[in-house]
Amino acid sequence: MQRQIIVLLITCLAIISCSSEKQKKEINFYQIDISRSSGWHDFYSIHVDSTNQFILKKYNGGKTFKYFKGNLTDSIIEKILPLVDSINITKYDSVYEPNCIDCPIYKIVITSKTRELTTAVRGNHSLAHLDSLVQIFTAISELSNLELVDTTYDFESFNHFLPPVAPVQTSLTDSLKNKK
């Protein structure tokens, strides 16, 4: 009889613990791809896919980049999902502040189940939900326990991220050659 009561209690506890376990929310995006610069020395690009895996490209001073990979935790995903839902119902246009020197800039590409958003922000603008999402990814880029990988990756958000560089003329002779 005691054995039956113990088995019954264990079964009840197992059922209760399984039913009270939080249901994981369904991922509402296929990819999030962000490139961000502080306007000074800090730069990163990050790409997250719907499996919560990410690849990160960080500027390491000089002319080198380092790549890292990792997985987003459930707590980070729980912060991202409502932001993506909010972003999906908001219209965003790129914002460019032309007279802002050394201003922060980011470009973001989100492909979700309902739409694809590509927008860029340069300057001290505050765009609801986008800024919050970028802040989450900035915190991820600053983690010290990321796995360094020997790879390269073509980030969609990095395409046209920086303005084109005008050719530098070194002398009057070069200037005259270009006019011919």
Side-chain angles (χ1 to χ4, degrees):
M1 183 68 164
Q2 275 183 321
R3 181 177 262 180
Q4 292 172 339
I5 293 174
I6 291 173
V7 170
L8 183 63
L9 283 173
I10 291 173
T11 305
C12 288
L13 289 174
I15 291 171
I16 290 170
S17 68
C18 289
S19 65
S20 66
E21 191 175 307
K22 286 185 177 179
Q23 294 272 347
K24 281 191 170 183
K25 288 188 174 183
E26 183 180 338
I27 300 297
N28 56 1
F29 61 88
Y30 297 117
Q31 70 157 354
I32 300 173
D33 196 313
I34 297 173
S35 290
R36 182 187 182 278
S37 170
S38 67
W40 284 91
H41 303 292
D42 300 328
F43 168 81
Y44 72 86
S45 288
I46 190 167
H47 176 92
V48 178
D49 65 20
S50 59
T51 65
N52 303 346
Q53 294 181 352
F54 68 86
I55 186 158
L56 169 69
K57 173 183 177 179
K58 285 178 71 172
Y59 180 69
N60 192 32
K63 295 184 184 212
T64 62
F65 290 98
K66 287 189 177 180
Y67 290 85
F68 302 88
K69 71 176 185 175
N71 289 316
L72 298 181
T73 63
D74 289 341
S75 62
I76 292 174
I77 290 296
E78 286 178 17
K79 292 176 186 175
I80 291 172
L81 295 180
L83 291 172
V84 172
D85 283 338
S86 298
I87 289 166
N88 278 337
I89 60 173
T90 307
K91 183 179 181 327
Y92 291 100
D93 292 322
S94 292
V95 183
Y96 181 76
E97 192 173 327
N99 297 325
C100 190
I101 298 171
D102 298 330
C103 286
I105 181 173
Y106 65 81
K107 183 175 178 185
I108 186 167
V109 178
I110 300 174
T111 307
S112 70
K113 295 179 178 182
T114 57
R115 85 185 247 211
E116 182 170 322
L117 169 76
T118 301
T119 191
V121 176
R122 180 177 188 270
N124 296 311
H125 303 282
S126 180
L127 299 177
H129 311 300
L130 286 181
D131 289 342
S132 299
L133 190 62
V134 171
Q135 287 172 359
I136 291 170
F137 285 109
T138 300
I140 293 167
S141 75
E142 295 169 352
L143 294 174
S144 59
N145 61 346
L146 298 173
E147 181 183 346
L148 183 64
V149 290
D150 184 20
T151 188
T152 58
Y153 184 82
D154 185 28
F155 292 88
E156 186 176 348
S157 61
F158 194 67
N159 294 336
H160 309 294
F161 180 70
L162 300 174
V165 178
V168 177
Q169 295 179 344
T170 55
S171 70
L172 181 57
T173 314
D174 288 344
S175 177
L176 294 174
K177 285 180 187 177
N178 290 337
K179 287 186 178 182
K180 289 182 180 181

